[in-house]
């Protein structure tokens, strides 16, 4: 079996589904291209000898039954949806790699002792409807019908209508979580440039960083730019600049793995001849240690309040996301590490700064991740790319880990 040829063929096939005329790929949850991709994958899995079926919400499973322990399942996959104008590897590479790894193992070693499954999760990105991880949250029975029932997309199409038009529906309230899953492995492009800079082919992920996100409104006083002396101003942009500069300086002092981003800034009235009286801005802070993340952000909150008070302003700080770091399973991490060593591939034990389906699944089932490099760290962009040899190394590493878990 020529993994490289099959990998290129399948990437080309699935990239053609949802190819955006403005560039990149757009394959949003419950869209025509999303359904076409899932149905094509179902046919592909069945052609390779797996049984394939959808769950109630549209997660797709391809199964190779175990000979000795059929009720013990080793699962691998990722999400089928994309962002708008995204690249052709985020999500779908993890599904294609899982399919090829299982296909290779079946051809090489025959039927596994434990069942192998490929999962193509319905949604992860949150690009069409105001939610994320719909696929994985349904898989582990964390999704809530009441959160989705009234949702609509940017065109006003109701979530329920889009879902039912594709032939799917909410899971029944009586549904129970699966008890047969013994391990979940997700392979993904890094979406950063650590592996590329270190000239390594594989990242073995042992932790997914926690996130705290804020929306902050800083209010001073709008006034005439020509007639208001500097000493009488309550310039909200000036106050924001102090907060931003000081906070980023402290984040740089703390260093990796802490990261801090002021991603959105909206001054008001945003006019050339008016002293800005208000600034709305966002903060995204991430760390692999829960207490370190909490300590840094609480210190930042306190300092923002102090700066606002010193400058005669008011500040509203809304902490709207508080996700704890997710450690991945040490035993599965070790299995992946042994697999990459057996292929003589250079690797790095690392954490993920981005969120993934694995963070939803890990609290329920033993979970770990594999990264392959991203060229220039680019992702969520038509320029997203990984060298084919690195993609092949990822498939081989995944196959080696699945072999240890399902055939031994």
């Amino acid at each position: 079996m020529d993994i490289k040829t099959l990998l290129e063929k399948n990437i080309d096939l699935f990239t053609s589904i949802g190819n955006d005329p403005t560039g990149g790929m757009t394959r949003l949850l419950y869209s025509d291209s999303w359904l076409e991709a899932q149905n094509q994958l179902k046919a592909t899995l069945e052609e390779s000898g797996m049984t394939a079926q959808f769950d109630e919400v549209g997660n797709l499973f391809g199964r190779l039954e175990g000979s000795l322990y059929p009720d013990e399942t080793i699962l691998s996959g990722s999400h089928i949806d994309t962002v708008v104008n995204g690249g052709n590897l985020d999500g779908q590479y993890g599904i294609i790699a899982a399919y090829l790894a299982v296909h290779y193992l079946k051809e090489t070693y025959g039927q596994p002792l434990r069942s192998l499954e490929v999962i193509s999760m319905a949604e992860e990105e949150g690009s069409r409807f105001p939610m994320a991880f719909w696929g994985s949250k349904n898989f582990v029975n964390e999704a809530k019908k009441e959160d989705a029932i009234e949702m609509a997309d940017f065109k006003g199409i109701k979530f329920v209508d889009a879902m039912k038009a594709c032939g799917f529906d909410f899971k029944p309230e009586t549904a129970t979580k699966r008890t047969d899953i013994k391990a979940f492995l997700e392979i993904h492009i890094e979406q950063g440039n650590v592996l590329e800079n270190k000239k390594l082919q594989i990242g073995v992920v042992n932790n997914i960083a926690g996130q705290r996100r804020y929306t902050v409104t800083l209010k001073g006083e709008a006034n005439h730019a020509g007639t208001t002396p500097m000493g009488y101003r309550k310039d909200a942009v000036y106050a924001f600049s102090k907060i931003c500069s000081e906070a980023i300086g402290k984040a740089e002092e703390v260093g990796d793995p802490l990261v801090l981003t002021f991603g959105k800034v909206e001054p008001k009235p945003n006019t050339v001849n008016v002293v800005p009286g208000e600034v709305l801005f966002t903060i995204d802070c991430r760390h692999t240690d829960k207490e370190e993340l909490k300590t840094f952000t609480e210190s930042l909150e306190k300092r923002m309040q102090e700066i606002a008070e010193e400058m005669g302003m008011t500040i509203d700080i809304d902490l709207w996301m508080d996700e704890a770091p997710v450690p991945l399973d040490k035993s599965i991490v070790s299995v992946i590490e042994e697999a990459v060593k057996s292929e003589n591939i250079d690797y790095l034990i690392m954490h993920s700064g981005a969120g993934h389906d694995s963070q939803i699944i890990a609290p329920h089932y033993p979970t770990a991740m594999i990264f392959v490099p991203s060229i220039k760290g680019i992702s969520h962009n038509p320029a997203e790319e990984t060298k084919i040899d690195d993609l092949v190394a990822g498939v081989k590493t995944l196959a080696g880990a699945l072999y240890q878990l399902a055939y031994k």
Side-chain angles (χ1 to χ4, degrees):
M1 173 178 162
D2 185 347
I3 292 176
K4 180 179 178 181
T5 300
L6 283 174
L7 185 56
E8 290 175 323
K9 176 184 175 182
N10 279 275
I11 289 174
D12 287 345
L13 170 63
F14 287 97
T15 297
S16 70
I17 305 172
N19 213 342
D20 197 302
T22 63
M25 287 179 64
T26 301
R27 198 160 61 208
L28 306 181
L29 176 65
Y30 299 140
S31 65
D32 290 343
S33 58
W34 175 93
L35 183 59
E36 183 183 350
Q38 286 289 66
N39 283 329
Q40 175 60 60
L41 180 62
K42 184 173 186 290
T44 300
L45 295 171
E46 288 172 340
E47 286 170 11
S48 74
M50 298 184 213
T51 57
Q53 63 181 14
F54 290 102
D55 69 4
E56 293 88 346
V57 303
N59 291 319
L60 176 63
F61 300 84
R63 184 174 175 87
L64 186 61
E65 195 82 1
S67 61
L68 190 58
Y69 310 109
D71 294 331
E72 296 182 9
T73 301
I74 310 301
L75 183 68
S76 183
S78 195
H79 60 96
I80 197 69
D81 67 314
T82 73
V83 298
V84 175
N85 302 127
N88 69 344
L89 295 173
D90 181 3
Q92 77 170 14
Y93 167 64
I95 298 166
I96 294 168
Y99 150 63
L100 289 179
V102 174
H103 183 51
Y104 166 80
L105 291 171
K106 177 176 176 286
E107 281 201 347
T108 307
Y109 303 105
Q111 187 179 10
L113 299 179
R114 294 171 188 82
S115 298
L116 280 167
E117 275 190 12
V118 176
I119 180 172
S120 175
M121 280 172 273
E123 190 272 348
E124 186 250 25
E125 298 286 5
S127 295
R128 182 178 184 185
F129 299 99
M131 65 170 183
F133 302 114
W134 177 247
S136 52
K137 283 185 175 179
N138 270 281
F139 175 64
V140 298
N141 281 15
E142 282 188 6
K144 297 178 180 177
K145 180 178 179 179
E146 58 268 27
D147 292 340
I149 197 79
E150 296 298 328
M151 285 193 307
D153 67 9
F154 45 87
K155 293 181 179 178
I157 299 172
K158 287 291 189 84
F159 177 90
V160 174
D161 294 339
M163 178 171 61
K164 290 187 175 181
C166 287
F168 301 109
D169 207 337
F170 294 108
K171 290 181 76 171
E173 293 182 3
T174 55
T176 57
K177 190 177 73 173
R178 287 176 60 173
T179 58
D180 62 307
I181 306 299
K182 301 306 176 185
F184 172 66
L185 286 74
E186 181 177 14
I187 188 167
H188 207 281
I189 57 170
E190 182 193 345
Q191 301 179 286
N193 58 1
V194 173
L195 292 173
E196 183 184 46
N197 288 341
K198 291 181 178 291
K199 303 187 187 317
L200 301 172
Q201 284 194 301
I202 294 292
V204 180
V205 183
N206 64 357
N207 197 305
I208 299 175
Q211 303 181 40
R212 280 191 149 201
R213 294 187 188 179
Y214 297 84
T215 298
V216 183
T217 304
L218 186 61
K219 290 185 178 180
E221 183 176 80
N223 220 325
H224 196 290
T227 63
T228 310
M230 299 302 289
Y232 293 106
R233 297 183 178 207
K234 293 183 180 179
D235 185 337
V237 163
Y238 180 39
F240 165 73
S241 71
K242 281 191 169 184
I243 290 169
C244 181
S245 177
E246 186 177 305
I248 288 178
K250 288 184 176 178
E252 289 176 339
E253 287 177 15
V254 173
D256 294 337
L258 177 79
V259 289
L260 178 69
T261 305
F262 291 82
K264 178 180 180 180
V265 183
E266 292 182 352
K268 294 181 182 179
N270 202 19
T271 304
V272 66
N273 61 347
V274 179
V275 177
E278 181 177 324
V279 175
L280 180 146
F281 60 95
T282 62
I283 301 171
D284 180 313
C285 190
R286 309 187 189 201
H287 200 294
T288 56
D289 184 279
K290 181 178 180 180
E291 290 307 314
E292 292 287 344
L293 177 62
K294 187 171 183 286
T295 298
F296 183 87
T297 51
E298 287 181 350
S299 174
L300 174 56
E301 291 174 34
K302 181 180 178 183
R303 185 61 186 136
M304 287 193 294
Q305 290 166 339
E306 289 173 351
I307 289 173
E309 187 176 339
E310 289 166 5
M311 300 183 73
M313 303 183 190
T314 62
I315 190 167
D316 178 71
I317 303 170
D318 177 22
L319 172 61
W320 58 270
M321 177 187 281
D322 188 4
E323 296 285 349
V326 179
L328 300 182
D329 188 85
K330 291 180 180 179
S331 64
I332 309 301
V333 168
S334 295
V335 168
I336 295 172
E337 194 172 2
E338 288 304 312
V340 73
K341 284 178 181 177
S342 70
E343 292 288 340
N344 294 314
I345 298 171
D346 292 331
Y347 71 100
L348 175 71
I349 299 290
M350 64 187 298
H351 76 275
S352 173
H356 295 284
D357 287 305
S358 287
Q359 75 189 60
I360 304 300
I361 296 174
H364 301 268
Y365 306 110
T367 297
M369 292 191 72
I370 301 166
F371 278 169
V372 294
S374 296
I375 294 175
K376 296 182 180 178
I378 295 172
S379 184
H380 285 186
N381 183 313
E384 176 181 280
E385 190 177 2
T386 296
K387 293 176 183 177
I388 187 63
D389 288 346
D390 294 340
L391 295 174
V392 170
V395 175
K396 288 181 177 179
T397 299
L398 178 61
L402 294 177
Y403 176 77
Q404 291 297 324
L405 293 166
Y407 285 82
K408 292 288 188 177

